[in-house]
Amino acid sequence: MSIASTPCQVAWTRQLFCAPMAIPANLIRPALAGVAPYVPGRPVADVQRELGISDVVKLASNESPFPPMPAALDVIRAGAADLKRYPEADWALREALGEHLGISADQVLAGNGVDSLIRLFCHACLDVGDRLVMGWPSFISWRQSTLVQGAEPVLVPLAADGAYDLDALLTAVDERTKLVVVVSPNNPTGGEVSAAALERFLRQVPDHVLPILDEAYFEFLGPDAHDGVALAARLDRPVAVMRTFSKAYSLAGLRVGYVVGPPELIVGLSRVRNIFDVNALAQAAAIASLADAPAHLPERIQVLTSERESMSRGLAALGLAPCRSAGNFVFVEVGPERAAALNSALLSRGIIIRPTGPFGAPGGIRVSIGWPDENRRFLDALGELLPTLPV
Ligand code: PMP
């Protein structure tokens, strides 16, 4: 069964490609020609409607299957009545994050998801002609936001294990580079850089460049892995570290993430920040989640990382070679044709995953870790589908 686009997607596509009313020439900056609008994973309700089944599983956006923490749900419910007001300035959240991380509140800035902070970084730091160096394939937002500025993303191939190749990254840094980004664990491959290699790398990045560590999946890392915030505190150089409440803290729908860095950097980013960037419920829920984390987070992480290992073993048992993942997802290279075919065949069975690869060309599939029965259902379906596809 093929999945047709939703009416909403059709309308959106028409707007993009066959606008009935011309807008002034060059109204949209030519620099945006290479920037494709982000296409998120298909929503569950969308697929339910199309297939006429209620039993749809979404393992596509690296969300947590766990609900928000109990204390977060309480403040979200209680805060609804106050939504007629603008949010407070987010000092309470910054204080709470400062306390959680052992830093001062002026070293941290919250944003409407790490994604909005990525946009702030590029907006605040990159002029036309400047360069941002990053690994590839990796989180597309870094590339997109660089292009939006009219700046140049320099994409450095990953190491064979799906982690960032830090030596290659250093080689790519030149005098036009202003930012160098390390995503670890990397999305989509799940590879992590070692703590020792990261420290060596940070000590070698030239002074005219700011290294940024995107630790969106930090909480899923093992005990010996890097901790960018602790590392930055030890180093005699500026480093920025980004983390999010979207993944381990189960607040993806509220949109809240943060960056840690020197106060001058935080002030610089604040200059280009949207007014009231973090909504009132997100602020309250993030603070409550930090307080609730000791009671709930370790068990959740244990469940998800153990499921991740089962998923990797299940993929290997099907004859595939998944990348070793340190996140809440697993990536496996299957080739562009098989990735596309698997994506639509799984979709027609009510299983939403992410076909992915460089520049959106689907060279592999990335599956997020859900509940055990959801992961099993994916593996069973994959086991049935693989033999039907040409290698
Ligand atoms: N960085 C990486 C590596 C990610 O995978 C994601 C989300 N997929 C983000 C940043 C953005 O996270 P947020 O939900 O906080 O915008």
Side-chain angles (χ1 to χ4, degrees), residues 113-115 118 139 183 187 214 216-217 244 246-247 255-257:
V114 162
D115 200 44
I118 291 174
F139 186 48
V183 182
N187 175 12
D214 179 340
Y217 301 94
T244 182
S246 297
K247 311 295 179 186
R255 316 300 301 121
V256 53

Side-chain angles (χ1 to χ4, degrees), residues 38 61-62 111-118 138-142 183-188 214-217 242-247 251-252 255-258 329 366:
Y38 182 73
S61 301
N62 299 348
N112 188 33
V114 162
D115 200 44
S116 90
L117 294 166
I118 291 174
S138 189
F139 186 48
I140 194 160
S141 197
W142 286 107
V183 182
S184 178
N186 184 42
N187 175 12
D214 179 340
E215 287 186 339
Y217 301 94
M242 339 257 300
R243 293 186 188 160
T244 182
F245 286 90
S246 297
K247 311 295 179 186
L251 288 176
R255 316 300 301 121
V256 53
Y258 57 94
F329 55 91
R366 189 196 68 191

Side-chain angles (χ1 to χ4, degrees), residues 21-344:
M21 190 183 294
I23 57 173
N26 286 335
L27 178 69
I28 306 297
R29 293 164 45 225
L32 301 190
V35 182
Y38 182 73
V39 183
R42 294 281 301 271
V44 169
D46 214 27
V47 178
Q48 279 172 333
R49 206 170 32 245
E50 266 174 36
L51 295 178
I53 57 171
S54 59
D55 195 14
V56 169
V57 169
K58 187 177 180 202
L59 302 173
S61 301
N62 299 348
E63 297 145 337
S64 171
F66 286 94
M69 310 237 172
L73 286 175
D74 287 346
V75 295
I76 290 167
R77 285 193 196 98
D82 260 345
L83 286 177
K84 63 187 178 194
R85 305 268 177 227
Y86 282 112
E88 288 183 19
D90 56 2
W91 273 104
L93 175 54
R94 293 167 75 176
E95 295 280 358
L97 283 167
E99 201 169 308
H100 174 68
L101 299 165
I103 56 174
S104 62
D106 63 354
Q107 290 174 285
V108 60
L109 185 70
N112 188 33
V114 162
D115 200 44
S116 90
L117 294 166
I118 291 174
R119 188 57 59 93
L120 290 195
F121 257 108
C122 293
H123 206 26
C125 303
L126 300 179
D127 275 322
V128 172
D130 288 341
R131 288 182 172 153
L132 174 146
V133 173
M134 65 182 291
W136 199 257
S138 189
F139 186 48
I140 194 160
S141 197
W142 286 107
R143 175 178 178 268
Q144 300 287 80
S145 287
T146 305
L147 290 171
V148 166
Q149 282 306 115
E152 196 184 321
V154 177
L155 307 179
V156 177
L158 300 177
D161 62 357
Y164 266 50
D165 182 339
L166 297 177
D167 289 337
L169 224 54
L170 269 183
T171 307
V173 166
D174 63 9
E175 65 292 341
R176 280 170 59 191
T177 306
K178 291 188 83 179
L179 302 173
V180 60
V181 179
V182 176
V183 182
S184 178
N186 184 42
N187 175 12
T189 49
E192 69 182 295
V193 294
S194 77
L198 182 63
E199 177 160 356
R200 251 192 331 271
F201 166 81
L202 291 174
R203 289 187 187 283
Q204 289 177 75
V205 172
D207 286 346
H208 69 280
V209 178
L210 178 76
I212 306 174
L213 185 54
D214 179 340
E215 287 186 339
Y217 301 94
F218 171 73
E219 294 81 3
F220 299 101
L221 285 166
D224 297 329
H226 52 80
D227 173 342
V229 175
L231 183 53
R234 276 199 287 118
L235 292 179
D236 189 23
R237 64 153 309 134
V239 177
V241 183
M242 339 257 300
R243 293 186 188 160
T244 182
F245 286 90
S246 297
K247 311 295 179 186
Y249 286 90
S250 303
L251 288 176
L254 268 189
R255 316 300 301 121
V256 53
Y258 57 94
V259 54
V260 173
E264 298 93 298
L265 173 70
I266 300 300
V267 171
L269 296 176
S270 305
R271 290 176 207 257
V272 289
R273 196 184 188 209
N274 284 336
I275 298 168
F276 302 123
D277 197 34
V278 186
N279 72 73
L281 296 184
Q283 291 185 31
I287 294 169
S289 298
L290 289 175
D292 232 5
H296 299 280
L297 200 56
E299 189 206 334
R300 291 176 174 208
I301 298 296
Q302 202 278 325
V303 169
L304 294 174
T305 50
S306 130
E307 275 301 303
R308 176 188 72 205
E309 297 313 306
S310 304
M311 174 68 83
S312 297
R313 282 195 300 275
L315 290 166
L318 294 174
L320 299 171
C323 282
R324 227 192 110 49
S325 173
N328 64 338
F329 55 91
V330 178
F331 176 81
V332 63
E333 194 79 50
V334 290
E337 288 81 22
R338 285 206 300 173
L342 283 173
N343 180 48
S344 53

